Amino acid sequence: MPIEFIEAIQKPHIYLDYETNQAGNCYLVGYQIDGKFTQIVTDRRLEGLAEFHNLEIKTPAEATYDLLSYAKDSNSIIVAYSEAEREYFKLFSTNFDSEKFIDTPYLNLLNAARKWIHRYKAEEFDVLPPFRLGADEYMARTLRRSLCSVMRLTSFRAPNDYAPGKTTARFNTVADALVMRSQKYSELTRVQKTKGTKVLKHNRFDVEALPVLFNEILSDSEQCFSTSIKNCFDNN
């Protein structure tokens, strides 16, 4: 059954961002519900980082199941930037029955942002400089419609040390160092600790930017969301 998008966007929102590498290893899940931001470490190699920052540790499957269960029980919509999180639901749901979550709605905010830019922000967006000066052609093209780039159309900007393309390397550096030091965070170098702080900060921006962007789009036209909502586990 088609999702009525007006009804869907009026549901409670769960703003969500997974931090993974290209192979699908998940390091961290960040989300915001009712204005409260939460991070869950999902890679046991980062146990020391989780303990230091008082973060819960779960497997990617456990974190995914718990989020989907909350969404179903609270009749919420999951909001993420692109289709990536929806793909992670499929990847991490092999150990539980995803059928009961099939009707949970998922909003691809990138899709809505593209319509919003085309209809309301084209001139402003076209004159924006590259997000990262000196990036090669591929990276510049990739970053063009990234969340950090699009947020320059709002008052909520990425922090100066936000570094797309470096997050996986930073996670791996911290994970390898913690494994070598038996998860003793206090024994990491200053540089390693800084990288750990930066990946958490990066994820926090990616989550907290989502409601800002959603509301910016909504303030111009709810029609921008009309083709951006799917079910979490359908095949469309």
Side-chain angles (χ1 to χ4, degrees):
M1 178 179 295
I3 299 173
E4 295 294 338
F5 80 94
I6 296 295
E7 178 184 350
I9 63 174
Q10 292 174 345
K11 293 175 181 286
H13 292 183
I14 299 173
Y15 298 101
L16 176 65
D17 182 61
Y18 284 74
E19 298 292 347
T20 71
N21 63 14
Q22 291 185 345
N25 179 68
C26 185
Y27 303 100
L28 182 74
V29 177
Y31 60 91
Q32 181 173 302
I33 299 173
D34 293 332
K36 181 183 178 182
F37 175 71
T38 302
Q39 288 175 317
I40 298 172
V41 170
T42 52
D43 186 329
R44 281 285 172 184
R45 298 176 303 154
L46 296 168
E47 185 174 343
L49 179 71
E51 183 177 349
F52 180 80
H53 288 280
N54 197 28
L55 302 178
E56 194 171 0
I57 301 176
K58 298 180 181 180
T59 67
E62 289 169 341
T64 299
Y65 180 82
D66 289 348
L67 279 165
L68 290 169
S69 295
Y70 180 89
K72 180 178 175 61
D73 293 344
S74 61
N75 193 29
S76 297
I77 182 171
I78 294 174
V79 182
Y81 198 73
S82 83
E83 286 289 290
E85 275 62 33
R86 191 165 173 262
E87 292 301 316
Y88 296 141
F89 292 162
K90 297 174 186 177
L91 179 64
F92 301 135
S93 66
T94 55
N95 294 326
F96 61 81
D97 180 14
S98 61
E99 280 292 314
K100 64 180 179 179
F101 306 120
I102 198 166
D103 291 330
T104 299
Y106 178 97
L107 169 57
N108 177 345
L109 201 55
L110 171 57
N111 185 287
R114 285 174 173 152
K115 286 189 174 183
W116 175 62
I117 291 169
H118 177 72
R119 294 179 183 178
Y120 300 99
K121 298 288 183 177
E123 290 185 14
E124 187 178 348
F125 188 68
D126 287 345
V127 299
L128 288 174
F131 183 80
R132 180 188 286 175
L133 296 177
D136 60 35
E137 182 179 348
Y138 172 77
M139 179 59 75
R141 188 169 61 251
T142 299
L143 287 175
R144 182 64 177 161
R145 295 188 185 274
S146 64
L147 180 61
C148 54
S149 177
V150 170
M151 291 308 294
R152 293 181 294 172
L153 298 172
T154 77
S155 61
F156 191 80
R157 309 294 180 86
N160 291 333
D161 57 358
Y162 187 93
K166 295 185 178 181
T167 306
T168 293
R170 287 173 173 173
F171 270 119
N172 288 335
T173 294
V174 176
D176 291 344
L178 285 169
V179 169
M180 284 184 64
R181 292 163 177 79
S182 301
Q183 296 301 322
K184 296 177 182 177
Y185 182 88
S186 62
E187 295 185 6
L188 297 189
T189 67
R190 180 182 62 82
V191 171
Q192 291 164 345
K193 290 177 180 177
T194 297
K195 288 183 177 182
T197 300
K198 285 182 177 179
V199 293
L200 297 180
K201 185 178 177 182
H202 180 107
N203 173 256
R204 184 167 194 141
F205 170 81
D206 285 349
V207 173
E208 293 185 338
L210 297 174
V212 176
L213 182 57
F214 176 88
N215 287 323
E216 288 277 351
I217 297 171
L218 183 63
S219 69
D220 282 321
S221 175
E222 61 191 12
Q223 290 297 320
C224 291
F225 302 108
S226 62
T227 60
S228 302
I229 301 173
K230 301 178 179 178
N231 289 324
C232 281
F233 286 96
D234 67 18
N235 296 317
N236 296 327

